[in-house]
Amino acid sequence: MQERRKAKRMPVTLSLEISNLYKQDHVRVSNLHAPIEVINISKTGIGFLSESVLPEGYYFNANINLGNEDTLHCVVQIVRRQPAEDNKTMYGCEFVGMATILSYVFEEYDKRLDTQE
């Protein structure tokens, strides 16, 4: 199978909660309180598990901290979903409009992972 990923996925353990989803033309889903478990991250997006059913094509705001003083404030778009174990769904998401200058955060995180092995 040909690799289609744009960037290396790195394992991560983060818990977030999605409160609001939105789409263009002011379509909004509010008061979700959907807990998610982020399981991997790359320069281009995140993968997460959730028991909640979330629609593809919608966006949410995320604050991601990879264990240092830098917190990424970003917009994430849900681009795919598939069934997973334990009544959960696996979601694939892309960062939208994140400045490429922030890629250093992921490079530093990758280096920290390498030194822990």
Side-chain angles (χ1 to χ4, degrees), residues 54-67:
L54 305 170
E56 292 179 51
Y58 278 70
Y59 302 83
F60 63 92
N61 296 315
N63 298 319
I64 298 173
N65 186 294
L66 297 175

Side-chain angles (χ1 to χ4, degrees), residues 8-12 108-117:
K8 176 183 175 184
R9 287 187 186 178
M10 297 169 277
V12 67
E108 289 178 4
Y109 180 68
D110 191 27
K111 287 178 188 174
R112 283 198 316 270
L113 287 177
D114 287 343
T115 60
Q116 290 175 2
E117 292 178 354

Side-chain angles (χ1 to χ4, degrees), residues 24 28 55 60 64 70 92 101:
Q24 295 175 345
R28 186 178 197 101
F60 63 92
I64 298 173
D70 296 316
I101 189 83

Side-chain angles (χ1 to χ4, degrees), residues 33-99:
H33 305 292
I36 66 173
E37 177 189 351
V38 181
I39 58 171
N40 63 50
I41 193 164
S42 73
K43 291 179 186 180
T44 58
I46 61 174
F48 68 84
L49 291 168
S50 181
E51 292 180 1
S52 301
V53 177
L54 305 170
E56 292 179 51
Y58 278 70
Y59 302 83
F60 63 92
N61 296 315
N63 298 319
I64 298 173
N65 186 294
L66 297 175
N68 58 12
E69 66 277 356
D70 296 316
T71 298
L72 297 173
H73 305 281
C74 53
V75 176
V76 181
Q77 181 183 21
I78 300 171
V79 294
R80 70 184 147 278
R81 67 180 180 201
Q82 65 188 47
E85 296 176 357
D86 298 327
N87 232 9
K88 294 184 180 180
T89 302
M90 175 69 187
Y91 292 89
C93 302
E94 290 182 343
F95 294 123
V96 178
M98 187 165 38

